[in-house]
Amino acid sequence: MGKYSQEPADPSKSCKARGSALRVHYKNTHETAEAIKGLSLPRAKKYLNDVIDRKDAIPFRKHMGGCGRKAQVKKYKMATQCRWPVKSCKFLLDLLTNAESNAEINGLEVESLMITHIQVNRAPKMRRRTYRAHGRINPYMSSPCHVEMILSHKSVKDTVKKGESGGSNVVARRAKQGGGGFE
């Protein structure tokens, strides 16, 4: 059992899953992981299935060289390019299913789990060769990746909307009361 880069805040209310040296492209998997970060478990599974069926798309924000512009990306902020990385979605769906079964074994409520941490790292490249003209040989490398994710329960603090709580934001309180130069 390997070490995770981050430990959950409350280990009794969270579950983990990881995959090492997965034979799937690092760049596509990174963008797919960024797209599902922060989603609930059922919503993430539905989203990935929609991407596989091409009903929805993964916005590419970092690794987007040579990635075409599509109309489906209009609903996402700060993105103009998207793709449908089917293989990455299938691998992440398998990891989500693994995390779901880990949660059931630990006695957690599956419907209220959220993806609080997901990280994709490059794994060592695998080597093959391709034969070129004039008797030359070039490398033909694959870019596998390691994926780790932590799913945790939604806490009460996360579900409270911004500005509703009786927090210690003095400026906001003064603005509501009409003092402090906010008239």
Side-chain angles (χ1 to χ4, degrees):
M1 187 168 135
K3 187 177 178 204
Y4 284 75
S5 67
Q6 181 178 337
E7 288 301 319
D10 190 3
S12 63
K13 292 184 178 181
S14 60
C15 60
K16 301 189 260 191
R18 71 183 296 155
S20 296
L22 301 177
R23 196 85 186 262
V24 62
H25 291 193
Y26 162 75
K27 291 182 179 182
N28 291 344
T29 311
H30 175 269
E31 296 290 352
T32 308
E34 286 296 316
I36 65 169
K37 187 185 290 186
L39 296 180
S40 65
L41 180 61
R43 174 70 186 104
K45 289 177 93 169
K46 183 183 181 314
Y47 178 54
L48 292 176
N49 282 321
D50 285 349
V51 171
I52 292 170
D53 297 336
R54 289 192 174 231
K55 294 177 187 168
D56 211 339
I58 301 290
F60 275 55
R61 294 184 172 99
K62 183 178 179 184
H63 304 290
M64 58 186 186
C67 185
R69 297 190 289 261
K70 311 286 188 297
Q72 276 189 347
V73 81
K74 288 180 184 174
K75 63 180 170 181
Y76 301 106
K77 293 181 180 177
M78 303 299 292
T80 57
Q81 295 161 313
C82 68
R83 279 185 174 169
W84 301 272
V86 173
K87 192 172 178 183
S88 295
C89 290
K90 287 181 179 176
F91 271 82
L92 288 178
L93 266 173
D94 290 343
L95 276 176
L96 286 173
T97 306
N98 191 339
E100 183 179 3
S101 62
N102 290 344
E104 288 172 355
I105 289 172
N106 292 340
L108 300 174
E109 188 180 332
V110 176
E111 298 298 319
S112 65
L113 287 176
M114 286 186 63
I115 301 172
T116 55
H117 169 74
I118 185 165
Q119 179 175 319
V120 181
N121 294 330
R122 290 182 195 265
K125 292 195 170 194
M126 297 178 177
R127 299 188 70 94
R128 288 187 290 169
R129 58 170 71 176
T130 185
Y131 299 93
R132 308 306 296 262
H134 309 294
R136 293 175 297 126
I137 295 174
N138 281 0
Y140 209 65
M141 312 286 274
S142 67
S143 301
C145 60
H146 306 306
V147 182
E148 65 180 40
M149 62 175 66
I150 298 174
L151 283 74
S152 302
H153 268 284
K154 296 180 198 172
S155 64
V156 177
K157 186 174 82 173
D158 295 339
T159 57
V160 173
K161 289 192 174 125
K162 198 173 187 179
E164 280 185 11
S165 67
S168 62
N169 193 346
V170 178
V171 176
R173 238 184 294 133
R174 282 189 189 153
K176 269 187 181 176
Q177 294 168 356
F182 292 104
E183 286 85 46

